[in-house]
């Protein structure tokens, strides 16, 4: 199995999906950064999914969209989650200036919105998360890009 589609009728289901996905990723005990590209149109629910993941792991505070800051970080019991939104990135080179490599060097979880803006500089994804929407409902398709991605899919 290298892809899985799930119907998400409402926001609460999206948040639960995020929690479960984050728990599954932790359960894989990867010895390197786990990289997810969150793909989908404006308002598809990429940040909402991220909120489900981050709060689902126990983070109590607000999860803001990093549209202007490019990245928000969360330390959850020692596990780092980096949430990128590259929508406003003018030039992929900016990623070099912000020290992007350090984020991917740790055993973190990296969630990246608008990854196409960082093409050629970002490392490849382990798992693609594609979100399609119709009114309030969404379809999420998870697509494994390598063995780690498949492991995440299989444990769900
Ligand atoms: N089934 C659903 N799943 C997720 N979000 C939903 C759903 N139904 C409605 N929504 C609403 O859709 C919006 C999704 O916004 P969100 O910021 O998560 O999108 P995004 O993909 O991150 O957009 P952007 O590219 O602008 O950052 C929220 O206002 C959320 O409440
Ligand atoms: Mg967003």
């Amino acid at each position: 199995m290298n892809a899985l589609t799930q119907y998400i009728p409402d926001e609460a289901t999206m948040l639960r999906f995020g929690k479960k996905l984050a728990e599954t990723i932790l359960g894989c005990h990867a010895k390197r950064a786990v990289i997810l590209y969150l793909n989908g149109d404006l308002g598809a629910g990429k940040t909402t999914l991220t909120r489900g993941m981050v709060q689902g792991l126990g983070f109590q505070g607000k999860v803001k969209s990093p549209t202007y800051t490019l990245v928000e970080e969360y330390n959850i019991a020692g596990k780092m989650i980096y949430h990128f939104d590259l929508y406003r990135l003018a030039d992929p080179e900016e990623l070099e200036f912000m020290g992007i490599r350090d984020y991917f060097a740790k055993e973190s979880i990296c969630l990246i919105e608008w990854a196409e803006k960082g093409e050629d500089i970002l490392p490849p994804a382990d798992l693609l998360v594609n979100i399609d929407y119709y009114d309030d409902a969404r379809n999420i398709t998870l697509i494994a890009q390598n063995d780690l991605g498949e492991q995440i899919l299989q444990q769900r």
Side-chain angles (χ1 to χ4, degrees):
M1 175 178 65
N2 72 352
L4 174 149
T5 299
Q6 177 129 357
Y7 178 67
I8 308 286
D10 52 32
E11 183 175 339
T13 309
M14 180 67 96
L15 295 172
R16 280 199 304 276
F17 184 91
K19 175 178 162 72
K20 188 149 172 268
L21 179 59
E23 288 169 349
T24 303
I25 291 170
L26 283 191
C28 287
H29 301 290
K31 290 283 165 249
R32 59 172 179 79
V34 180
I35 300 171
L36 273 59
Y37 288 2
L38 310 184
N39 302 320
D41 291 343
L42 289 170
K46 304 177 291 295
T47 297
T48 303
L49 176 67
T50 300
R51 181 156 54 90
M53 294 180 75
V54 168
Q55 292 179 340
L57 292 182
F59 180 76
Q60 308 265 343
K62 271 186 100 173
V63 173
K64 296 175 287 187
S65 181
T67 306
Y68 294 95
T69 51
L70 292 182
V71 60
E72 287 286 337
E73 55 182 76
Y74 304 93
N75 181 337
I76 307 173
K79 186 77 180 175
M80 294 308 298
I81 300 193
Y82 298 111
H83 176 209
F84 297 88
D85 180 343
L86 306 184
Y87 190 72
R88 286 175 193 279
L89 192 70
D91 182 338
E93 297 268 300
E94 277 179 54
L95 292 173
E96 304 277 19
F97 296 127
M98 69 189 268
I100 191 95
R101 274 166 227 285
D102 295 341
Y103 295 99
F104 301 108
K106 304 167 196 158
E107 288 179 24
S108 59
I109 300 175
C110 294
L111 308 172
I112 310 175
E113 300 187 32
W114 301 103
E116 57 266 44
K117 303 264 184 176
E119 238 174 8
D120 298 336
I121 296 212
L122 289 177
D126 298 302
L127 190 71
L128 304 181
V129 180
N130 296 341
I131 309 176
D132 295 299
Y133 71 113
Y134 318 92
D135 300 326
D136 277 353
R138 306 288 191 269
N139 264 325
I140 293 191
T141 305
L142 302 179
I143 306 169
Q145 301 294 94
N146 55 29
D147 287 351
L148 176 57
E150 291 220 6
Q151 201 188 334
I152 295 167
L153 278 188
Q154 255 142 41
Q155 310 208 346
R156 281 192 34 88

